[in-house]
Amino acid sequence: MEYKRNIMITGGAGFIGNHVVRLFVTKYPEYHIINLDKLTYAGNLANLKDVENAPNYTFVKADICDFDKMMELFKTYQIDGVINLAAESHVDRSIKDPFTFAHTNVMGTLTLLQAAKLSWEASATGFEGKRYYQISTDEVYGALAFDGTLFTEDTKYLPHSPYSASKASADHFVRAFHDTYGMPTIITNCSNNYGPYQFPEKLIPLFINNIRHGKPLPVYGKGENVRDWLYVVDHARAIDLVFHEGKTADTYNIGGFNEWKNIDLIKVIIKTVDRLLGYEEGHSLKLITHVTDRKGHDLRYAIDSTKLKNELGWEPSLQFEEGIEKTVRWYLDNQAWMDHITSGAYQKYYEDMYKNR
Ligand code: NAD
Ligand code: TYD
């Protein structure tokens, strides 16, 4: 069948990627969606069981750092749109292993950009009708004080962690490909996501799972750092909108104006899990364990997404209370998914990864 568009979504087996793939596959039967993922520890095809047999969906196991493979895929599938979510995404891992982050996030993005550029320049219509969309993070802006200021699209990049430095570097390459070669690129910077299918190394799924098992909840430092949380499906909706209607070479912030001090958020999670598990209120508060702070722990992130609202009409669809309730319920209802990940196989991976460092 001749599709209207052939869109490569990279990192589609990860947390945010599976929601983007699901949205595009179901909403646009006229598009061919190619999900390209290396299936690292964070990539899990079980996240996409419900769409894996859709006629307009193809999965390809590949590495965005593999230039020849990328060139081959652009040709085979006549890719005209790329949404790049493939990345190493966990700050704590980046502190232990910065090389992997530079490799995947910087060199991987550059490889994908170069393959897109060469393939599109050689096509009959050139860059016309093409789009390269880089999914970035608010962490590239650095950290805010407790002064009510917000990151806007004009905030200077000032990354602190190896993770955010690698994402910032990737964004600079994306911009450079527009400014140098005229590539039709676009970037969005989003705040912390939460929701179903998040790998349980990140705060919210880790804590829900630990409460279920009565295990300690490791709060870094005093728990006073602030993050701005957005339900992952609302991020996917924003990506859909920006992919189709965003202005080429522009950048948009995505966030829900929803700042939480870690310790307050953790108390909401405890309250919700305790209620849904039938424990008395406050039962799991005793699991809170203050541990050594993360090195270079950014104090506060907060996103101003007014531009996206004013220019493209996007707003989050879920209030936080509703989102966190849905999220906790999902993890409690999908314990098999969680147990599969937290089983010995995952532990072994983790041990192998860190044994010589
Ligand atoms: P994730 O770690 O859950 O998923 C990353 C996916 O990328 C995995 O499926 C993994 O297998 C794949 N991948 C890793 N290296 C690859 C490679 N070399 N080639 C192909 N695939 C590879 O991450 P996530 O939380 O879903 O984040 C997705 C993107 O969104 C990342 O670029 C991240 O920087 C960005 N982002 C995340 C958040 C958040 O709160 N999670 C917020 C803003 C932006
Ligand atoms: P995380 O989910 O790792 O996202 P990010 O570092 O990208 O913001 O962490 C969210 C916040 O929670 C961050 O301030 C670090 C903190 N945190 C803990 O206190 N304990 C934990 O075990 C984890 C994973 C995070």
Side-chain angles (χ1 to χ4, degrees):
M1 156 170 181
E2 181 84 357
Y3 286 102
K4 195 168 157 203
R5 296 202 70 162
N6 300 303
I7 300 169
M8 180 193 277
I9 299 178
T10 68
F15 165 49
I16 301 171
N18 82 80
H19 293 279
V20 178
V21 166
R22 181 174 297 101
L23 181 65
F24 274 70
V25 166
T26 53
K27 187 172 170 185
Y28 302 108
E30 69 276 26
Y31 294 174
H32 185 192
I33 303 302
I34 295 97
N35 171 15
L36 181 150
D37 200 296
K38 184 182 172 185
L39 299 181
T40 67
Y41 79 94
N44 185 356
L45 287 177
N47 298 352
L48 284 161
K49 274 260 163 278
D50 53 333
V51 292
E52 68 185 11
N53 294 321
N56 63 333
Y57 172 72
T58 300
F59 174 72
V60 179
K61 184 174 186 305
D63 185 339
I64 56 165
C65 301
D66 182 345
F67 178 73
D68 292 344
K69 184 74 184 172
M70 294 308 108
M71 289 299 288
E72 177 199 314
L73 291 172
F74 271 85
K75 193 165 173 205
T76 305
Y77 294 108
Q78 294 292 298
I79 304 293
D80 55 47
V82 176
I83 305 178
N84 181 27
L85 294 117
E88 289 292 335
S89 67
H90 190 40
V91 174
D92 293 323
R93 284 177 186 259
S94 82
I95 293 167
K96 294 198 172 81
D97 179 19
F99 282 109
T100 304
F101 282 69
H103 184 67
T104 294
N105 298 359
V106 186
M107 287 307 293
T109 298
L110 180 55
T111 304
L112 207 47
L113 280 165
Q114 180 74 349
K117 172 186 170 283
L118 295 180
S119 308
W120 291 345
E121 278 177 342
S123 73
T125 47
F127 289 148
E128 185 72 35
K130 313 292 197 302
R131 169 148 281 186
Y132 177 97
Y133 179 179
Q134 177 78 359
I135 304 302
S136 188
T137 163
D138 60 356
E139 304 193 23
V140 296
Y141 295 126
L144 297 165
F146 292 129
D147 58 2
T149 52
L150 303 172
F151 296 133
T152 73
E153 288 80 0
D154 296 325
T155 304
K156 281 207 166 53
Y157 274 29
L158 197 62
H160 297 300
S161 73
Y163 164 66
S164 53
S166 68
K167 292 293 293 184
S169 173
D171 292 358
H172 289 316
F173 272 108
V174 173
R175 236 172 242 123
F177 266 62
H178 170 268
D179 296 350
T180 308
Y181 310 112
M183 274 258 292
T185 61
I186 198 156
I187 302 172
T188 51
N189 299 82
C190 189
S191 62
N192 283 57
N193 285 215
Y194 72 98
Y197 300 111
Q198 188 167 28
F199 195 83
E201 62 187 351
K202 307 279 167 57
L203 180 76
I204 292 182
L206 176 72
F207 277 37
I208 295 171
N209 195 43
N210 282 11
I211 298 169
R212 174 162 81 89
H213 291 291
K215 283 170 46 179
L217 306 175
V219 179
Y220 298 163
K222 292 191 179 135
E224 283 179 345
N225 303 65
V226 170
R227 297 292 182 264
D228 185 350
W229 295 92
L230 179 70
Y231 192 65
V232 62
V233 175
D234 278 326
H235 187 189
R237 286 175 48 245
I239 290 172
D240 175 21
L241 189 64
V242 171
F243 179 80
H244 288 97
E245 292 176 32
K247 226 166 57 224
T248 295
D250 218 340
T251 154
Y252 299 86
N253 280 350
I254 308 174
F257 294 102
N258 180 42
E259 290 180 53
W260 285 85
K261 204 180 260 195
N262 286 345
I263 194 69
D264 295 335
L265 172 70
I266 288 161
K267 287 179 182 161
V268 171
I269 296 168
I270 290 174
K271 197 171 170 183
T272 312
V273 179
D274 278 353
R275 176 168 49 77
L276 293 175
L277 287 179
Y279 300 153
E280 66 189 42
E281 189 167 340
H283 171 83
S284 300
L285 283 171
K286 60 177 184 290
L287 299 176
I288 291 180
T289 309
H290 290 273
V291 299
T292 309
D293 209 351
R294 173 185 279 172
K295 286 190 176 79
H297 197 171
D298 282 342
L299 191 61
R300 174 174 166 257
Y301 302 143
I303 267 274
D304 181 351
S305 53
T306 310
K307 176 176 170 182
L308 188 59
K309 181 180 176 194
N310 289 348
E311 293 190 10
L312 301 185
W314 176 88
E315 275 185 292
S317 67
L318 273 193
Q319 292 298 315
F320 185 65
E321 291 67 27
E322 205 184 328
I324 206 77
E325 176 88 15
K326 261 174 102 101
T327 301
V328 172
R329 273 186 196 280
W330 188 87
Y331 285 101
L332 296 180
D333 289 347
N334 289 275
Q335 294 183 9
W337 179 89
M338 178 66 86
D339 292 345
H340 173 69
I341 289 173
T342 54
S343 69
Y346 168 67
Q347 290 300 335
K348 183 170 179 327
Y349 171 86
Y350 208 80
E351 275 162 28
D352 288 351
M353 182 174 175
Y354 291 126
K355 73 180 167 208
N356 294 323
R357 302 213 171 91

